[in-house]
Amino acid sequence: MSTMKEMAAEYREAAAKMRMYIDRRRAEGAEQWELDQLHQALRDIRESAHLLSGYYDVPRSGNGAAVDWKARRTRDDH
């Protein structure tokens, strides 16, 4: 069984392949409805990769809800 980090890497690779496929289909003259569906699939893949890569970085309470989230300070916060 894969670890979360390995699965996130696999999803990132799948997203890159999907992006290349979209570019190829666009060059072949695919219709807009097909490109829209492919872009939605790409967004879903990227979102899954993001969730998997940060799965252990998010604090959780006993009921599964995120708790004690704090915004990261940046140089723009002054």
Side-chain angles (χ1 to χ4, degrees):
M1 185 169 223
S2 299
T3 66
M4 293 286 191
K5 185 181 275 190
E6 291 169 341
M7 288 173 48
E10 291 172 10
Y11 273 80
R12 284 191 301 274
E13 182 180 344
K17 288 179 180 180
M18 177 64 82
R19 181 74 237 178
M20 292 186 303
Y21 179 72
I22 290 170
D23 291 341
R24 189 174 77 227
R25 290 297 297 145
R26 181 178 288 124
E28 293 171 351
E31 294 188 28
Q32 187 60 42
W33 64 268
E34 181 184 356
L35 295 174
D36 291 342
Q37 289 180 342
L38 293 171
H39 278 286
Q40 181 60 48
L42 178 60
R43 281 190 294 273
D44 293 344
I45 293 169
R46 286 179 173 165
E47 181 180 347
S48 297
H50 181 72
L51 289 172
L52 288 170
S53 66
Y55 183 81
Y56 292 109
D57 298 336
V58 178
R60 291 169 178 76
S61 68
N63 63 3
V67 293
D68 295 329
W69 285 26
K70 297 184 175 99
R72 186 179 65 190
R73 293 193 51 85
T74 65
R75 290 185 288 156
D76 299 333
D77 289 340
H78 42 276

